[in-house]
Amino acid sequence: MTSTLVTGIAELVTNDPAVGDGSPLGVLRGAAVVAEDGRVRWTGPAAAAPAADRRVDVGGRAVVPGFVDSHSHLVFAGDRAAEFAARMAGQPYDGGGIATTVAATRRAGAAELGGLAAARVAEMRAQGTTTVEVKSGYGLTVEHEVASLTAAAAVTSETTFLGAHVVPPGAAREEYLALVTGEMLRACAPLARWIDVFCEPGSARAFDGDEARAVLTAGRAAGLGLRVHGNQLGPGPGVQLAVELGAASVDHCTHLSDADVAALADGDTVATLLPGVEFATRSPYPDGRGLLDAGVTVALATDCNPGTCYSSSMPLMIALAVREMHLTPAEALWAATAGGARALRRTDVGTLAVGARADLAVLAAPSSVHLAYRPGVPIASALEL
Ligand code: NIG
Ligand code: FE
């Protein structure tokens, strides 16, 4: 197998606290990386780098672990630009627009859905994302959820069955729940690693705590790992349910009680914050600073979807987390890489420790602080060796 030596790295963020400056980011300056067989084989000072078959000189740029976007909805057709414009003119977000995307997604064929998902993943890679989780949830029939997960599985191994996104238009709640926990789950489980549920008791078509529990326990019995959309639009049971059931992550976490924060701090569930949603729905941001100060493990993700955040940019999420949720640039970068990996229960991504996947993001900048310092400037791109 060919080995590659990457040189010219002004600043290397490894996320390995055992190397470099002793911080959680494990920063090395004037560094080099050797990759072989898709894995990191060596990191250290450039002067001490071992020989390799080929060399890539990044010319004084910073290198960080490729971003781990642990929450996205990339399988959909159509867009909701008009809904966004109306929201910016004062309309609130209530999830009602999901039906618009469900209709467009059902009309699209399998080839179109696959092409749309692949194009969105390419857009993410061009901005430094090397691992992405992709949910279904805009099909909401057995046939269309299977088609959505088939498209997702073609672009990632981190596939999530979100049949319990909303009760679809025209369906009765109890029958739909029986379908999601029965026939639809049986058809979709072989295509998915995870199951997710939109737990939002205040929303007419999403699911309350008891319904979400039924979805998650059925998913677990089918061999799937657990994820939850919780506490997005208002307070609710989602966070505590996720922690109680040992979900890998509970996502949004916009409206948290002290008890929710305490449960997250004591539990094993990552709090994944999606600040692009607050940006695009003009909502108050989650208390990212408070979660970190309470000892909660925090991840950042895009939630890329046509309703609440049609952005695929992890650098934008980092900038928003720093500006709006008072994370330091270092904390935000960790959350967008190592935090995302924790949210997916992965140890081979989100780090450039020896043995990890050689998934790099190269920054057209001398330090990773520029991710937040230069918002909107496309400085990051993926380099997978
Ligand atoms: O994560 N909250 C539920 N689902 C998506 C948005 C879906 C949509 O509006 O299309 C989310 O924000
Ligand atoms: Fe989402």
Side-chain angles (χ1 to χ4, degrees):
M1 208 61 196
T2 310
S3 56
T4 305
L5 168 63
V6 184
T7 58
I9 304 175
E11 178 187 271
L12 176 68
V13 172
T14 65
N15 282 347
D16 180 358
V19 307
D21 62 354
S23 75
L25 291 191
V27 179
L28 288 161
R29 291 182 211 287
V33 174
V34 176
E36 191 177 28
D37 203 9
R39 298 276 164 175
V40 176
R41 293 296 173 214
W42 183 90
T43 60
D53 301 323
R54 68 175 190 127
R55 175 190 285 241
V56 174
D57 188 338
V58 298
R61 290 171 159 79
V63 169
V64 304
F67 303 123
V68 180
D69 190 346
S70 59
H71 183 142
S72 84
H73 306 248
L74 299 188
V75 184
F76 66 88
D79 75 39
R80 283 154 50 199
E83 178 190 320
F84 174 77
R87 196 155 59 239
M88 294 303 109
Q91 289 292 314
Y93 175 80
D94 65 0
I98 294 173
T100 307
T101 303
V102 169
T105 302
R106 287 179 182 172
R107 278 195 303 271
E112 184 184 346
L113 282 183
L116 288 165
R120 290 172 186 137
V121 170
E123 185 180 284
M124 289 180 156
R125 279 194 83 257
Q127 299 169 91
T129 297
T130 51
T131 302
V132 60
E133 179 263 14
V134 177
K135 302 175 198 299
S136 66
Y138 290 117
L140 308 187
T141 64
V142 175
E143 174 199 347
H144 295 105
E145 283 296 297
V146 166
S148 296
L149 282 166
T150 303
V155 295
T156 187
S157 57
E158 298 294 345
T159 50
T160 300
F161 169 48
L162 180 58
H165 197 180
V166 289
V167 178
R173 177 166 284 273
E174 272 186 26
E175 275 114 79
Y176 188 69
L177 251 184
L179 182 69
V180 165
T181 55
E183 185 193 344
M184 191 185 284
L185 174 62
R186 282 193 295 280
C188 289
L191 293 162
R193 178 172 183 220
W194 305 98
I195 188 165
D196 196 344
V197 56
F198 184 14
C199 180
E200 199 72 51
S203 159
R205 301 205 78 84
F207 300 90
D208 68 21
D210 290 341
E211 293 165 337
R213 179 186 293 277
V215 169
L216 294 169
T217 52
R220 184 163 61 190
L224 303 178
L226 311 186
R227 328 187 65 73
V228 176
H229 280 71
N231 302 56
Q232 173 187 2
L233 304 176
V239 165
Q240 297 200 43
L241 180 67
V243 174
E244 181 201 323
L245 296 180
S249 182
V250 56
D251 301 32
H252 287 285
C253 296
T254 310
H255 298 271
L256 299 186
S257 66
D258 291 347
D260 294 332
V261 176
L264 286 164
D266 289 345
D268 216 12
T269 300
V270 172
T272 298
L273 308 183
L274 311 166
V277 171
E278 281 72 37
F279 178 85
T281 59
R282 197 172 273 146
S283 306
Y285 287 83
D287 183 10
R289 177 79 264 145
L291 285 166
L292 284 176
D293 290 346
V296 175
T297 301
V298 168
L300 285 173
T302 62
D303 197 12
C304 184
N305 76 79
T308 58
C309 178
Y310 197 2
S311 172
S312 53
S313 171
M314 288 295 279
L316 175 62
M317 303 311 138
I318 290 172
L320 290 174
V322 171
R323 171 65 180 81
E324 302 290 347
M325 301 195 295
H326 302 271
L327 274 64
T328 66
E331 288 168 336
L333 176 58
W334 191 94
T337 51
R342 298 260 180 112
L344 294 172
R345 301 237 160 119
R346 295 275 296 268
T347 56
D348 59 333
V349 297
T351 167
L352 296 176
V354 170
R357 288 175 62 102
D359 292 349
L360 282 49
V362 180
L363 310 183
S367 96
S368 66
V369 176
H370 283 233
L371 286 163
Y373 175 45
R374 307 202 68 212
V377 182
I379 63 170
S381 58
L383 176 63
E384 285 154 299
L385 295 169

